[in-house]
Amino acid sequence: MSGKHRMVNMRRQYNDTTFQKAFSFTVVRNPWTRMVSGYRDKLSDEDTQGNGKRTIGMHIVQQMRGLNIATVKEEGLYPTFAEYASWLVEHRGNINVHFSPQYKTLCIPNARYDMVVPLEYASILGGEVLHRINSPRVSVLGSYDKSSDPRLQKSTLFAREWLSDLDSDLVEQLYGIFKTDFTLLNYSNFTHPDFPLPLYDH
């Protein structure tokens, strides 16, 4: 969602009465798949639909490999997922909105939402959101991945593989940074059979 539609910015556009009456919603995602998707879309050499953060990627390589930025640029080097993970831990996720914990952008706990939509169920719940905001558009919220099952999407499969290859201590540190995001909807770990779906009590 574009920055101008985020709660922190929307609050400045309306008076208190209008703002309090407005229907508010947000979309959240399993932190592990979001982490992997952010890497694929913004930092890797993979051809995706996103707008890459090449400058950030070069600085990761420079920092993690001890190279000068000119060499990184000339040789067209990209960070590995492991380097990206270590960089996230070193900076505690406080670098860019695409890599920071979701709860910070969502202004939780100060902001209140009428509806919190898990991206994993957006194809089902997106229609309800569009109805509530009287949107004439027929498109729904969701991933651009070709598979409709979140458990079979590329970022899910990559997350299982890449996170399993990381040092367990590094994974624990990553979890600590995004712990609040995991608790938003009781999101599953990458080792769970239903990853990346939220876990609900039955």
Side-chain angles (χ1 to χ4, degrees):
M1 185 176 292
S2 63
K4 68 179 181 179
H5 293 126
R6 291 179 177 139
M7 183 71 79
V8 66
N9 296 320
M10 292 290 288
R11 183 65 183 87
R12 305 188 186 104
Q13 300 177 38
Y14 301 95
N15 61 45
D16 289 343
T17 301
T18 301
F19 189 76
Q20 291 299 326
K21 291 181 178 179
F23 168 72
S24 61
F25 74 94
T26 190
V27 180
V28 297
R29 187 177 190 179
N30 186 300
W32 290 135
T33 50
R34 180 173 177 266
M35 187 185 303
V36 168
S37 179
Y39 167 75
R40 293 176 59 210
D41 201 41
K42 306 297 181 185
L43 301 175
S44 76
D45 60 355
E46 183 178 349
D47 184 19
T48 68
Q49 70 168 18
N51 297 314
K53 300 293 182 182
R54 181 64 179 132
T55 300
I56 295 178
M58 289 192 296
H59 281 295
I60 294 174
V61 175
Q62 177 190 28
Q63 179 179 336
M64 294 299 160
R65 303 184 196 178
L67 302 174
N68 63 64
I69 201 68
T71 299
V72 175
K73 188 174 183 179
E74 290 171 5
E75 297 186 13
L77 302 177
Y78 289 82
T80 64
F81 181 74
E83 289 171 335
Y84 162 62
S86 296
W87 174 77
L88 280 176
V89 167
E90 185 164 332
H91 293 275
R92 300 293 300 171
N94 297 316
I95 312 99
N96 179 282
V97 67
H98 297 288
F99 314 113
S100 300
Q102 295 166 91
Y103 80 90
K104 292 185 177 180
T105 302
L106 301 178
C107 304
I108 293 173
N110 297 318
R112 296 290 184 269
Y113 295 91
D114 296 304
M115 191 171 183
V116 177
V117 180
L119 181 66
E120 296 78 14
Y121 292 130
S123 60
I124 300 172
L125 300 176
E128 183 178 343
V129 171
L130 295 177
H131 174 72
R132 293 286 297 273
I133 63 177
N134 298 314
S135 174
R137 292 176 295 177
V138 295
S139 61
V140 295
L141 306 164
S143 170
Y144 57 83
D145 197 292
K146 292 181 179 179
S147 175
S148 59
D149 187 339
R151 294 167 295 185
L152 301 178
Q153 291 176 354
K154 284 186 177 180
S155 286
T156 300
L157 301 179
F158 283 136
R160 286 187 181 278
E161 177 185 350
W162 294 347
L163 289 164
S164 295
D165 289 340
L166 294 181
D167 180 81
S168 59
D169 288 340
L170 180 58
V171 173
E172 282 297 318
Q173 291 178 75
L174 287 169
Y175 178 82
I177 295 172
F178 296 95
K179 186 175 181 179
T180 300
D181 284 358
F182 278 103
T183 61
L184 286 176
L185 287 176
N186 193 24
Y187 268 116
S188 55
N189 194 17
F190 65 90
T191 56
H192 193 280
D194 285 328
F195 172 74
L197 303 180
L199 301 176
Y200 297 109
D201 293 331
H202 299 286

